[in-house]
Amino acid sequence: MAQNLYTGFHAVEERLREYSSKPKSELKLAIYYSKPGPRVKKILSLAESISIPCKEVSQDELDKKVASLPETARDHRGILLCAEGESEKPRNQIDFDLWLKDCPENATVLMLDSVTDPHNVGAIIRSCDQFGASLLIIPEKRSASNVQDNQIIARSSAGASAWVNVSVVSNLVRTAQLLKDAGFWIYAADAGGVPLQKISFAEKTCIVMGSEGSGISRLLSQTCDTSVSIPTCGKIDSLNVSVAAGVLLYERYRQTV
């Protein structure tokens, strides 16, 4: 039976909140903890309120349980959520074609092209949650989407990965064209684009972010309607992709409120 492990206060707490609103008949959930400080006690109270068993164990036992996780996910902070019977497909992963049929009139979509670092993807998901993005789109290939990546993403997103809708698609160019056919305006994030302060985002907006190394692929870039840049004054070439995504999502959000 598949078992997923979640570490970190935010990731564990948000997973519990998600589980509390969904049937758990096929899931076997358990919390393991040591040194119950204030944050741990708050999470234990939430777990007990939705009938999830909690067991106090030693620090060494927690360390052993997380030994198989990626290095950055092993810092359990004294608490661990185990979920057995959980699908390897994230629960917030949705079908793009179905989403597009009923998408909001004032929708914000973020598309990632070749962003492979799960820490960046997690940080981007956190910004998607904070600034009201309707959907995050990532490709099946050249992206952070395997099981270990998902564990890092959950932690890096501070729990936001439990709430932000994500679609994994096979072809970004086809997906961008479908968005255009549905009335979306596609903005490519590019250092040579129109300065952000001169952009008035469309009612239906899709922002495309490329990798820090290769940027947006040529065919996808050609599909975009325009490009947008973030004016900066630093001495290095560009912003980290997750920071840039946060800036663009904030401005989009600011224009809608």
Side-chain angles (χ1 to χ4, degrees):
M1 182 178 290
Q3 175 178 269
N4 286 337
L5 304 177
Y6 300 98
T7 62
F9 298 141
H10 290 295
V12 171
E13 187 170 2
E14 293 308 321
R15 287 293 170 187
L16 289 178
R17 293 188 190 283
E18 185 195 10
Y19 293 136
S20 69
S21 62
K22 294 185 178 182
K24 300 183 285 295
S25 57
E26 298 181 1
L27 288 176
K28 182 179 179 182
L29 305 171
I31 291 282
Y32 297 93
Y33 68 95
S34 66
K35 300 179 182 177
R39 288 296 302 277
V40 171
K41 288 179 180 178
K42 179 183 176 183
I43 294 171
L44 294 180
S45 177
L46 174 59
E48 290 168 357
S49 72
I50 55 177
S51 302
I52 294 178
C54 303
K55 181 179 180 181
E56 185 171 7
V57 297
S58 68
Q59 191 80 359
D60 286 342
E61 286 182 78
L62 278 184
D63 292 341
K64 290 177 182 177
K65 287 182 180 294
V66 301
S68 63
L69 295 179
E71 184 175 355
T72 54
R74 294 178 202 158
D75 182 15
H76 47 71
R77 306 294 296 277
I79 193 161
L80 170 69
L81 170 63
C82 296
E84 291 187 7
E86 193 174 51
S87 169
E88 290 188 357
K89 176 182 175 180
R91 290 167 302 285
N92 60 327
Q93 187 170 312
I94 62 175
D95 181 271
F96 170 75
D97 294 310
L98 292 178
W99 179 87
L100 191 59
K101 289 180 180 179
D102 297 307
C103 72
E105 283 301 316
N106 193 345
T108 302
V109 173
L110 190 69
M111 180 182 290
L112 304 184
D113 182 13
S114 301
V115 179
T116 57
D117 185 337
H119 298 91
N120 279 334
V121 175
I124 288 169
I125 288 176
R126 189 172 184 176
S127 291
C128 285
D129 172 66
Q130 289 296 294
F131 300 125
S134 311
L135 182 69
L136 175 68
I137 297 174
I138 60 176
E140 284 181 344
K141 299 179 180 179
R142 304 185 312 281
S143 68
S145 58
N146 62 43
V147 175
Q148 284 203 332
D149 284 344
N150 289 335
Q151 292 164 337
I152 297 175
I153 288 169
R155 185 181 181 91
S156 300
S157 72
S161 62
W163 306 109
V164 174
N165 289 330
V166 176
S167 282
V168 179
V169 300
S170 59
N171 189 312
L172 290 180
V173 176
R174 170 188 175 273
T175 301
Q177 188 58 57
L178 289 173
L179 286 167
K180 291 178 72 170
D181 293 343
F184 280 81
W185 196 261
I186 315 295
Y187 301 84
D190 184 90
V194 178
L196 181 57
Q197 67 268 29
K198 296 183 179 181
I199 291 285
S200 293
F201 286 109
E203 187 174 32
K204 288 185 175 181
T205 284
C206 174
I207 300 170
V208 182
M209 309 294 304
S211 70
E212 292 177 52
S214 57
I216 299 169
S217 66
R218 180 179 59 83
L219 288 177
L220 181 56
S221 181
Q222 291 174 351
T223 308
C224 296
D225 295 296
T226 190
S227 59
V228 56
S229 65
I230 301 171
T232 58
C233 61
K235 295 180 175 59
I236 60 174
D237 289 340
S238 63
L239 295 170
N240 170 277
V241 64
S242 65
V243 175
V247 172
L248 293 171
L249 286 171
Y250 166 74
E251 176 59 20
R252 162 62 174 169
Y253 171 73
R254 189 192 66 80
Q255 291 184 17
T256 61
V257 296

